[in-house]
Amino acid sequence: MGKPAPESGARPARARAHTAQTVSSLGDGVSHAALPLIALTLTRDPMALAVVTAAGTLPWLLFGVLGGALVDRWDRRRTMWVADAVRAVLLAIPAAAAALDLLSIPLLAAVAFLLGLCQLFFDTAATSYLPGLLRRDPALLERANSRLRGAQTAMSGFAGPPAGSALLALGRAVPLLTDAVSFMVSALLARTLPAMPRPVPEARESLLRQARAGAAYVFRDRVLLGLALRPAVGNVAFLAVETVLALFAHDRLGIDTYGFGLLLTAEATGGLLGAGIASHLGRRLGTGTALTCTAAIEGLAILGLAAAPNPYVAGPALAVCGAGMGATMVLAPSLRQAIVPAHLMGRVASTSRMLTMCAAPIGAFLGGWLATTYDTRTPLYAAAVLLLTMTAVTASRLVVTPANSTATASNESFSSWTKTGSDTYRLAHTKAQAERAEAG
């Protein structure tokens, strides 16, 4: 069993963990751009291209909770570096096939699926590893997630996709080999991280039973369920917008391909800003209130985007929406990492991520259907209404009336979370859990 790094060595360890995840995100950005473009050199069949794109998300839908259960059984540091080392090896396969002119759509789809599976393990392990490294301190977790989210946005949103596209011009194998190198660097960095104590082992149960226990933990806890549903509902709205955004920009705003790229850059820039100020918002407003405010900001920004008469209004609207999204992606995981027991962290994180991923096709279908039935503005208005409705419902539940002593503890914890921040909430939530355990 490993021991937590002493405080004197914690800062370099945090820097290495941050660098490892940042480099891994750069690899994600390169592969997400390169694989579809490489597929485009093989076929013009939209369904074949869709298969390659969808293959990378399937592991989250098929194995999300089971993957979290496995991460809770395994050493998280080892899981991180092994996952990225495997990704490096996997990318060498299509690179060699490209050099030998043996590339095919089935091969690319299989590699995309396995890369997505490795991403599931890496991301879940990294999310579960960080609280131990930071001693589950809510303030440190918010600051670390803020920096990490900003770096991930910069790498996967700014640097990665253009790099993947540019490297492809040098040959189909070049972006794949570059991506493999980035994952190997991340693996080597993760390998040097300090070992964390293994979670307290549970009674020996089947993997499926442990996976169900992790999912049940999320669905039985009102706040954890809220933290999972907040990005899931947001994903329905955002995918409804993203599905038609290119068409909306072309038809309604008169934007060409270059202008559309600038529009996406504005959204990513807002995401960086939101990630940077998330910790400040959490301290000033409390995590719950801050998350409610970001939902309102996102809804109003999408409403402004729908009504935008030109790109000069649409750009700032997307930037504001991106800022809300960036703050949300820092605040919610930070609170979850602070309050979830270590032995359940992998399953809780993967269950929450799976809910978010499952919401994506719903939003995409909704956006496409509304645009086909009505016009390209309608999905944006629908997304704004969805987010603002969620804001109103959440705000109406900030003040609750307890029905019994057990509910009182739970409701007091919820009130503490929404009004005073994650540290107070963590203490109240732990007390409420203990009281529920004694009552049960």
Side-chain angles (χ1 to χ4, degrees):
M1 179 184 295
K3 295 181 180 180
E7 191 62 34
S8 60
R11 190 178 299 275
R14 290 199 294 267
R16 291 198 302 276
H18 179 272
T19 303
Q21 293 185 64
T22 300
V23 173
S24 187
S25 295
L26 175 62
D28 288 336
V30 172
S31 60
H32 288 167
L35 286 177
L37 290 174
I38 292 172
L40 193 61
T41 67
L42 300 173
T43 180
R44 295 284 173 174
D45 181 0
M47 286 303 298
L49 298 175
V51 166
V52 174
T53 302
T57 64
L58 280 179
W60 286 100
L61 304 180
L62 298 177
F63 308 118
V65 180
L66 288 174
L70 285 171
V71 168
D72 282 337
R73 289 185 174 191
W74 296 341
D75 178 88
R76 280 130 187 200
R77 179 191 63 167
R78 183 179 293 112
T79 302
M80 290 168 63
W81 73 259
V82 169
D84 267 359
V86 171
R87 284 200 273 191
V89 173
L90 284 172
L91 284 162
I93 297 173
L100 298 172
D101 200 23
L102 296 175
L103 267 181
S104 66
I105 292 297
L107 175 62
L108 287 178
V111 170
F113 178 85
L114 293 173
L115 288 174
L117 187 61
C118 290
Q119 183 186 22
L120 185 160
F121 286 122
F122 181 92
D123 288 356
T124 304
T127 299
S128 305
Y129 178 85
L130 191 60
L133 185 64
L134 300 181
R135 303 178 187 275
R136 303 177 72 81
D137 183 286
L140 286 178
L141 284 168
E142 283 190 355
R143 287 199 293 271
N145 281 318
S146 176
R147 291 193 295 268
L148 182 59
R149 180 64 184 174
Q152 287 175 333
T153 300
M155 291 297 102
S156 63
F158 285 111
S165 302
L167 290 169
L168 184 60
L170 303 177
R172 292 185 297 188
V174 176
L176 298 170
L177 291 174
T178 303
D179 201 5
V181 170
S182 74
F183 283 128
M184 188 56 70
V185 170
S186 175
L188 292 173
L189 286 169
R191 182 69 180 83
T192 67
L193 294 174
M196 291 292 111
R198 290 283 187 91
V200 178
E202 301 174 82
R204 196 63 181 175
E205 295 178 333
S206 70
L207 184 65
L208 187 59
R209 185 182 294 272
Q210 288 187 338
R212 284 202 302 263
Y217 191 85
V218 174
F219 284 97
R220 289 173 182 170
D221 187 291
R222 183 176 63 179
V223 177
L224 288 177
L225 182 60
L227 290 173
L229 291 178
R230 165 67 178 88
V233 173
N235 223 23
V236 173
F238 301 140
L239 264 294
V241 173
E242 286 187 16
T243 299
V244 300
L245 185 59
L247 190 60
F248 171 81
H250 181 271
D251 293 351
R252 295 284 184 171
L253 302 177
I255 294 178
D256 58 14
T257 303
Y258 176 75
F260 184 66
L262 293 178
L263 206 61
L264 296 181
T265 300
E267 182 181 12
T269 303
L272 285 173
L273 176 62
I277 66 173
S279 182
H280 176 73
L281 288 176
R283 289 195 303 269
R284 290 294 300 270
L285 302 177
T287 305
T289 302
L291 285 171
T292 302
C293 290
T294 57
I297 289 170
E298 292 160 7
L300 292 172
I302 293 176
L303 197 62
L305 175 64
N310 56 58
Y312 304 105
V313 176
L318 263 181
V320 171
C321 182
M325 294 166 60
T328 298
M329 297 305 293
V330 170
L331 292 169
S334 299
L335 177 57
R336 186 184 301 114
Q337 289 169 329
I339 65 176
V340 173
H343 70 283
L344 286 167
M345 183 64 71
R347 282 165 283 177
V348 169
S350 60
T351 298
S352 302
R353 180 72 175 268
M354 187 181 68
L355 287 174
T356 302
M357 297 296 289
C358 288
I362 298 174
F365 174 79
L366 178 65
W369 176 74
L370 289 174
T372 302
T373 306
Y374 301 99
D375 60 27
T376 55
R377 286 187 192 270
T378 304
L380 278 65
Y381 285 123
V385 169
L386 179 61
L387 288 167
L388 293 175
T389 300
M390 178 174 65
T391 302
V393 171
T394 304
S396 70
R397 295 181 65 84
L398 293 186
V399 179
V400 290
T401 303
N404 52 55
S405 58
T406 302
T408 299
S410 178
N411 289 334
E412 285 176 353
S413 74
F414 185 74
S415 178
S416 297
W417 170 55
T418 55
K419 293 178 182 177
T420 61
S422 58
D423 194 28
T424 302
Y425 170 71
R426 178 188 173 188
L427 298 176
H429 185 269
T430 303
K431 178 182 177 182
Q433 284 184 316
E435 291 178 358
R436 286 199 295 269
E438 291 176 1

